[in-house]
Amino acid sequence: MERVAKFLKDAGTYYLATVDGDQPRVRPFGTAHIFEGKLYIQTGKVKDVSKQIHKNPKVEVCAFLNGEWVRVAGELVEDDRIEARQSMLDAYPSLQGMYKADDGNTEVFYFKNATATFSSFTKEPEVVKF
């Protein structure tokens, strides 16, 4: 899982796919943080992506860096503790201008039953489960 988090952070931007009815939705994300042994992402409750995750927590992310990519498929689980939200904001100080741990909007999710697949055009895929 640490390797996945490092790859996502090093890439800077990854793409999160959700489902909206029968329509896939993909958008850029930039948060990847390990807290209490779990890989977390962050968003705002007012966003459509939040509503989609709550309706169907199965998601996939994809990031590309230096000729390699990782895809992470799994379920997202909301962690509504202020400590989890604050840990994310501490790891990403640039978010603190838009989000606060106790603002009623900030939310963090961790991956459950996740499978990460590292791929490239030159090597066999490598699978990591967490």
Side-chain angles (χ1 to χ4, degrees), residues 10-104:
D10 289 350
T13 301
Y14 60 88
Y15 296 87
L16 173 74
T18 59
V19 177
D20 184 12
D22 66 349
Q23 178 65 49
R25 302 289 181 195
V26 180
R27 79 281 292 153
F29 261 65
T31 54
H33 177 60
I34 294 178
F35 177 68
E36 294 183 347
K38 296 175 183 163
L39 178 60
Y40 280 74
I41 67 168
Q42 181 273 335
T43 192
K45 290 181 181 180
V46 299
K47 296 182 177 182
D48 287 342
V49 66
S50 170
K51 295 169 183 69
Q52 293 158 11
I53 292 168
H54 282 283
K55 190 167 184 178
N56 181 350
K58 292 181 180 178
V59 302
E60 186 162 297
V61 302
C62 184
F64 185 85
L65 179 67
N66 298 327
E68 296 184 330
W69 60 94
V70 66
R71 290 177 35 232
V72 184
E75 297 173 50
L76 290 179
V77 177
E78 182 182 10
D79 186 338
D80 199 30
R81 296 177 300 153
I82 196 165
E83 297 87 359
R85 293 189 303 265
Q86 189 61 56
S87 180
M88 177 66 78
L89 294 173
D90 290 345
Y92 288 89
S94 62
L95 293 176
Q96 294 177 19
M98 299 179 293
Y99 295 101
K100 302 285 182 242
D102 61 354
D103 64 6

